[in-house]
Amino acid sequence: MLIHRNNSKSTVTLFMAMCLSITTVYGQLLSPNDFLPHDLGEHFTPHHQLVDYYQHVAAESDHVQLIEYGRTNQGRPLLAAFVSTPDNLNNLEPIRKNNLAKAGMPEGEASAHEAVIVWLGFTVHGNEAAGAESSMRVIHKLADPDNETTKEWLQNTVVIIDPCVNPDGYSRYTHWVRDVTGSNIITDLDDIEHHEPWPGGRVNHYLFDLNRDWAWQTQTETKHRIKLYNQWLPHIVADLHEMGHNSPYYFAPAARPYHNYITEWQRDFQEEIGKNHAGHFDKRGWLYYTKEIFDLFYPSYGDTYPTFNGAIGMTYEQGGSARAGRAVEGDNGEILTLYDRIDHHRVSALSTVEVASNNAERIITEFENFYKKNDKLGKYKSYIIKSDKQSAKTQALADMLTAQGIIVQVADANSSSKGYNYYTQKESTFSVESGDLIISADQPKSTLLQVLLDPTATLEDSLTYDITAWALPYAYGLDAYASMQAVSTVDVYEKAMDKRAPLADKAYAYVIRPNGMVSQKAIMQLLSKGVKVRYNTVDIEIDDRQYPMGSFFILRGDNKSVEDAMQSAITSMSDQCDIESLKTGFAISGADLGSNKLKLIKQPKILVVSGDNVRANAYGEVKYYFNELLDYDMTTVDIGGLGRVKLDKYNTIILPDGRYRLSDDLLERFSDFCNQGGKLILMAGAVPSVADKSGFALKSYEEDDIKSSEEKESKHARLAARYNHYCDRERNNISSYIPGAIFKNVLDASHPMAYGMGTHYYSLKTNSLRYPMLTGASNVAYLEGDPTVIGFAGSKIKKKLSDAMTISVQSKGRGQVVYMVDNPLFRAFWYNGMQMFGNALLYVGG
């Protein structure tokens, strides 16, 4: 269907409006339609015009205060508008501190100034653009001086509006739509407007899904937002999204499963909010549904994170998203317009404010009760992290928890305790040593810390929307215990300020011990400056100092031609990581520093594949890893352009997770690349692209008889499934499904890729890929027997994963192929996976 629309407002009309605003309208609040060069819903609003409108509202209304709480990677402002009565706005700081006092936060200060606090977040996914558009109509309604209804709501309510959580993604999408469309709107789904190109606007600059990042806080938008969020701790939070264009509107109450730490009050009040929305939608005859699909389990959503911080957190979903464009014809033959989508979000957002205002006293009381009782939810009183205070992993975990407002402390004395051992998954007695990290459940953020640190989370229904396990000691690869006893502490944890010995000039060698991402970044920086680095493949003792396998040695003898640059680089980074000087290369035990047991590391020259068939998130994780975590260059090549690239310019090619269909020619080029000394790293969905291919060791089955047996078993299962009931089809399918679970892998600690990783490796598995252990290659990490699983994995797939490979390294010609069946960079919060990936870069192929 073709929709004709009028051209944007004429130049004359715009000029007259501008003159009017200068002469007679100053001090008068304009609606979005009067302010923008187009009617709201006529086209997508560029982000800078969205910002302009919010600045206009703040300038012209005494009911609004606007702040910029941060900037995106691309420099766009992140805004928060505070909407309330002038009296409340004049007392925002007392209202904020009084609310924090009710939560028991140390910076709180009780007072008589009180209001229910509502947080409305729009367009966390940039191509769900109707949210940001709708936010302009919402703020205008709330700030309208002639709207007596909203003025009454604001007497006891402060509304915080984040008009566009993801400005970079929103701009990517909206600019693209403007580029490819004309004045007429084509509702036919075949039209280009309904086919957004890779990587899409859903994601931010680094192609991360910001709605999965609330707890992990890897992205700059999230870091800024959570800082502001924790300064307020809102009572009601609505996260406004879009979904498939044929879907009716979705609002609370949420679907099962609920995390078991969600209180009865939080469950019940969602129902009340949903009924209030339903009343407004019923009057208008709008379709909607509740209690389906969108659950409250994974802790890093825009609804669950607030929930675990005492709020009523909710997701709202409008049918639309990128496929809808400005208007689209649905399966029911009806036209869904951008106007419709904006209006639906407007009504649900204002209904949220309405129900909050009408129940303000009860909401505030229950919020205070949440913080009084939340330390009694779980069975564990203390979480003990057994790790050297200098450990980069320990510091990274402590920093991550502190950013949430969680208090991290240290043990003040040696003692004995009993608790759950994360490593063995059993109760045991253990020693608490002075300096161990202690996270006590007896603190204001108790619910959140228990959610993040509990060894397992109770899953009431395996039909869930996201990963089912995330316990942070596994993510960070740390020895830890969860105890039902309180442990004595001494003080709040602070980063260790170690007393480093001054570096000697003209030392025989400098050493950096393996210390997770800190040491890996240092080595990558040295390599980028042309400094040559080696690592040891045997334990070494020199001058009564022990250096484990995988320590990094910078030898003066290797760097004669760049000695000044080496010395300068070593000196400049000595305050960022621990560097030791050695005056001799003579070892008491192990190997002397001139031994061939110290391998020279090649400077990685990296090519990363992107484009169609590569998961945008996965490519973004690789880009973020190199750009932000290592500050190291990588070359990106679209998969369609690989034919023009001379692969021998590089020594490392990375294929992120995706769905690849590699041509025979490209497979042969990759094979030759490895044979000539290159390293090919295949991650998750990239691994199947070389299975059973000539020159690659990866096989789908160990033997032909095993293949035949599995095919027969699969055939019998299909025949048996003929008797399954239609209503059970979804549950029948989950037996072969892994939404995301932690698997305990056996680790070959002698292999260079396992240096610094311990004897076991906990991987986060988000796919059902299964390959047998490789023959004629090194199986670095693998699942042994009936694998230990934290979280949900379907019974059939769990059985198939017995003795499956997780990470293997194949020597191929003069090069290597690294197979990583699970994505080690998943959402950039699985620290141990990122360390393993760094090992693949530095130790494999040295």
Side-chain angles (χ1 to χ4, degrees):
M1 179 178 291
L2 173 68
I3 299 179
H4 295 280
R5 66 175 177 85
N6 295 328
N7 291 328
S8 295
K9 300 168 185 174
S10 69
T11 304
V12 173
T13 303
L14 284 173
F15 178 75
M16 292 177 63
M18 290 169 64
C19 293
L20 187 63
S21 69
I22 294 171
T23 57
T24 62
V25 187
Y26 180 76
Q28 179 180 335
L29 178 65
L30 298 178
S31 71
N33 285 356
D34 291 332
F35 181 86
L36 297 171
H38 56 274
D39 285 345
L40 203 59
E42 182 182 22
H43 217 308
F44 292 105
T45 305
H47 185 260
H48 70 276
Q49 292 180 1
L50 174 76
V51 172
D52 289 345
Y53 183 68
Y54 269 79
Q55 290 173 340
H56 160 75
V57 173
E60 306 299 342
S61 172
D62 59 0
H63 282 65
V64 178
Q65 289 184 13
L66 185 67
I67 67 167
E68 179 182 308
Y69 67 85
R71 290 261 166 172
T72 69
N73 291 106
Q74 297 178 11
R76 294 185 176 88
L78 297 163
L79 302 180
F82 294 79
V83 190
S84 195
T85 63
D87 183 58
N88 285 338
L89 292 180
N90 288 333
N91 290 286
L92 274 183
E93 189 64 2
I95 290 172
R96 183 183 75 84
K97 287 190 172 182
N98 183 54
N99 189 56
L100 294 181
K102 292 180 183 298
M105 304 302 290
E107 59 269 42
E109 184 178 322
S111 73
H113 297 284
E114 186 170 275
V116 64
I117 302 165
V118 177
W119 180 292
L120 301 175
F122 296 86
T123 307
V124 68
H125 296 141
N127 58 8
E128 298 171 11
E133 304 285 348
S134 178
S135 78
M136 290 184 276
R137 185 155 288 165
V138 171
I139 197 170
H140 178 257
K141 289 293 183 183
L142 291 174
D144 185 354
D146 298 324
N147 192 323
E148 296 300 327
T149 300
T150 58
K151 284 168 69 175
E152 181 63 27
W153 294 344
L154 296 177
Q155 292 298 318
N156 63 356
T157 306
V158 172
V159 182
I160 304 173
I161 297 177
D162 188 335
C164 186
V165 178
N166 181 6
D168 291 349
Y170 174 82
S171 296
R172 185 184 305 122
Y173 172 68
T174 55
H175 284 307
W176 170 79
V177 174
R178 283 178 166 270
D179 281 346
V180 301
T181 57
S183 58
N184 293 336
I185 300 174
I186 310 300
T187 63
D188 183 350
L189 271 176
D190 291 334
D191 188 72
I192 189 173
E193 180 172 352
H194 307 291
H195 294 272
E196 181 187 22
W198 191 94
R202 175 183 176 89
V203 287
N204 76 337
H205 171 77
Y206 280 113
L207 311 190
F208 273 61
D209 185 333
L210 294 179
N211 192 42
R212 270 76 175 168
D213 193 49
W214 280 69
W216 319 136
Q217 297 180 40
T218 68
Q219 300 302 290
T220 189
E221 297 92 340
T222 314
K223 291 173 182 176
H224 290 307
R225 184 174 67 259
I226 296 301
K227 183 178 179 181
L228 177 65
Y229 186 94
N230 281 323
Q231 290 170 354
W232 281 90
L233 293 180
H235 306 125
I236 305 289
V237 176
D239 190 23
L240 290 92
H241 290 253
E242 292 189 78
M243 55 183 164
H245 67 280
N246 282 307
S247 298
Y249 202 96
Y250 166 86
F251 50 71
R256 302 285 181 171
Y258 285 13
H259 195 285
N260 59 310
Y261 289 167
I262 297 175
T263 67
E264 185 177 354
W265 152 255
Q266 290 173 314
R267 298 166 190 244
D268 291 346
F269 198 69
Q270 281 199 55
E271 192 89 19
E272 293 190 38
I273 294 173
K275 289 178 179 177
N276 201 72
H277 296 350
H280 290 290
F281 275 59
D282 288 343
K283 290 176 185 177
R284 295 163 171 82
W286 293 345
L287 299 179
Y288 60 89
Y289 69 100
T290 65
K291 300 184 285 290
E292 295 181 46
I293 303 174
F294 304 101
D295 60 64
L296 293 175
F297 190 68
Y298 172 69
S300 201
Y301 285 138
D303 53 11
T304 49
Y305 185 86
T307 298
F308 298 134
N309 280 280
I312 308 297
M314 299 167 293
T315 290
Y316 300 163
E317 294 271 359
Q318 162 63 45
S321 199
R323 287 281 275 167
R326 293 164 296 169
V328 66
E329 184 174 354
D331 289 347
N332 61 0
E334 297 293 326
I335 303 299
L336 175 69
T337 68
L338 181 57
Y339 297 100
D340 298 328
R341 292 149 60 193
I342 290 170
D343 211 25
H344 298 166
H345 269 333
R346 173 189 65 83
V347 169
S348 67
L350 292 175
S351 173
T352 304
V353 179
E354 176 187 35
V355 73
S357 177
N358 291 342
N359 295 273
E361 184 175 345
R362 188 158 59 111
I363 292 169
I364 294 169
T365 298
E366 291 294 345
F367 174 82
E368 188 172 12
N369 288 338
F370 175 93
Y371 279 93
K372 286 179 179 177
K373 300 174 182 178
N374 67 359
D375 64 325
K376 300 178 177 62
L377 290 173
K379 63 181 180 179
Y380 297 117
K381 301 299 181 186
S382 303
Y383 302 85
I384 301 92
I385 308 298
K386 298 286 300 176
S387 187
D388 177 4
K389 201 177 179 185
Q390 304 291 339
S391 163
K393 293 180 180 182
T394 305
Q395 293 185 5
L397 175 59
D399 289 346
M400 183 266 192
L401 294 174
T402 301
Q404 320 281 351
I406 293 169
I407 300 168
V408 181
Q409 299 173 298
V410 293
D412 63 354
N414 296 342
S415 63
S416 178
S417 189
K418 187 176 182 180
Y420 180 91
N421 185 326
Y422 285 76
Y423 178 74
T424 64
Q425 289 85 46
K426 296 177 181 178
E427 294 287 329
S428 63
T429 300
F430 63 95
S431 297
V432 179
E433 298 172 296
S434 179
D436 284 347
L437 294 192
I438 310 296
I439 303 99
S440 169
D442 186 15
Q443 60 171 292
K445 288 294 191 86
S446 182
T447 298
L448 180 63
L449 75 87
Q450 291 177 80
V451 169
L452 297 178
L453 292 171
D454 272 359
T456 59
T458 302
L459 187 63
E460 63 179 355
D461 191 331
S462 50
L463 285 175
T464 185
Y465 196 62
D466 212 289
I467 64 173
T468 61
W470 50 81
L472 294 180
Y474 296 122
Y476 284 80
L478 293 167
D479 292 335
Y481 295 85
S483 177
M484 289 185 281
Q485 303 171 2
V487 176
S488 177
T489 58
V490 60
D491 204 355
V492 173
Y493 171 87
E494 294 181 0
K495 276 189 177 181
M497 301 300 292
D498 53 305
K499 298 177 182 178
R500 294 170 180 156
L503 290 175
D505 289 332
K506 306 290 185 179
Y508 182 87
Y510 299 97
V511 189
I512 299 175
R513 296 172 185 270
N515 190 18
M517 295 291 295
V518 170
S519 59
Q520 290 177 350
K521 179 178 181 179
I523 299 307
M524 295 293 277
Q525 290 296 299
L526 288 171
L527 293 171
S528 70
K529 293 175 172 60
V531 177
K532 300 176 186 69
V533 183
R534 295 179 183 266
Y535 68 89
N536 55 318
T537 59
V538 295
D539 294 337
I540 292 176
E541 181 181 357
I542 297 178
D543 289 341
D544 298 323
R545 285 180 278 181
Q546 309 292 328
Y547 298 105
M549 291 185 293
S551 297
F552 301 102
F553 292 83
I554 303 99
L555 306 177
R556 188 151 56 95
D558 274 337
N559 291 282
K560 291 179 180 179
S561 62
V562 292
E563 188 167 348
D564 289 344
M566 176 198 74
Q567 202 69 50
S568 174
I570 290 287
T571 301
S572 66
M573 65 177 52
S574 61
D575 61 342
Q576 301 170 26
C577 68
D578 193 13
I579 304 176
E580 302 175 36
S581 305
L582 292 178
K583 60 185 179 182
T584 180
F586 185 80
I588 297 171
S589 65
D592 298 327
L593 299 192
S595 168
N596 62 10
K597 291 183 171 27
L598 274 77
K599 304 296 184 182
L600 193 64
I601 300 174
K602 294 179 183 177
Q603 179 188 349
K605 297 177 182 178
I606 299 166
L607 183 153
V608 181
V609 175
S610 71
D612 289 343
N613 302 322
V614 179
R615 281 190 60 247
N617 295 141
Y619 166 74
E621 288 155 1
V622 175
K623 181 180 178 182
Y624 174 78
Y625 173 84
F626 283 109
N627 284 196
E628 296 294 327
L629 301 183
L630 295 187
D631 190 20
Y632 193 85
D633 291 344
M634 61 175 230
T635 297
T636 297
V637 177
D638 186 278
I639 191 167
L642 280 173
R644 61 174 172 76
V645 175
K646 293 182 178 181
L647 298 184
D648 58 7
K649 289 172 55 181
Y650 309 94
N651 58 26
T652 304
I653 296 177
I654 299 170
L655 271 63
D657 186 16
R659 295 185 176 181
Y660 293 82
R661 292 187 290 272
L662 302 181
S663 66
D664 291 342
D665 178 65
L666 190 52
L667 282 168
E668 185 176 353
R669 292 187 69 202
F670 284 156
S671 181
D672 290 344
F673 170 79
C674 294
N675 291 337
Q676 294 167 15
K679 177 166 53 185
L680 179 65
I681 300 178
L682 304 167
M683 303 168 66
V687 172
S689 64
V690 302
D692 306 310
K693 302 297 183 181
S694 176
F696 294 92
L698 185 71
K699 304 300 177 186
S700 298
Y701 300 93
E702 293 96 326
E703 303 289 346
D704 288 342
D705 58 341
I706 296 176
K707 177 180 179 181
S708 177
S709 176
E710 289 199 16
E711 288 176 344
K712 287 180 181 178
E713 185 178 333
S714 177
K715 179 181 179 180
H716 291 156
R718 290 196 303 271
L719 293 174
R722 295 177 298 172
Y723 301 97
N724 292 345
H725 291 158
Y726 177 81
C727 62
D728 295 329
R729 65 195 187 283
E730 189 172 17
R731 293 199 174 276
N732 289 330
N733 289 335
I734 66 172
S735 62
S736 299
Y737 174 58
I738 301 176
I742 301 169
F743 281 71
K744 183 179 181 179
N745 289 266
V746 176
L747 201 60
D748 177 3
S750 69
H751 193 279
M753 197 167 162
Y755 288 165
M757 304 296 298
T759 58
H760 287 79
Y761 170 66
Y762 288 90
S763 63
L764 183 62
K765 191 167 188 63
T766 58
N767 61 56
S768 57
L769 294 175
R770 189 271 179 194
Y771 292 98
M773 296 170 65
L774 271 58
T775 301
S778 298
N779 295 292
V780 180
Y782 56 91
L783 304 174
E784 187 175 42
D786 183 16
T788 298
V789 180
I790 299 100
F792 174 76
S795 57
K796 291 181 181 178
I797 188 62
K798 184 180 176 183
K799 181 180 177 182
K800 284 181 63 176
L801 287 170
S802 175
D803 299 318
M805 173 271 290
T806 298
I807 300 172
S808 293
V809 178
Q810 173 192 352
S811 294
K812 180 170 168 53
R814 292 186 288 112
Q816 302 81 27
V817 183
V818 179
Y819 304 94
M820 307 186 84
V821 174
D822 302 330
N823 178 7
L825 304 183
F826 183 76
R827 294 181 186 167
F829 89 99
W830 206 258
Y831 188 100
N832 229 26
M834 293 190 291
Q835 182 177 339
M836 182 69 83
F837 188 75
N839 283 1
L841 293 173
L842 293 171
Y843 295 135
V844 175

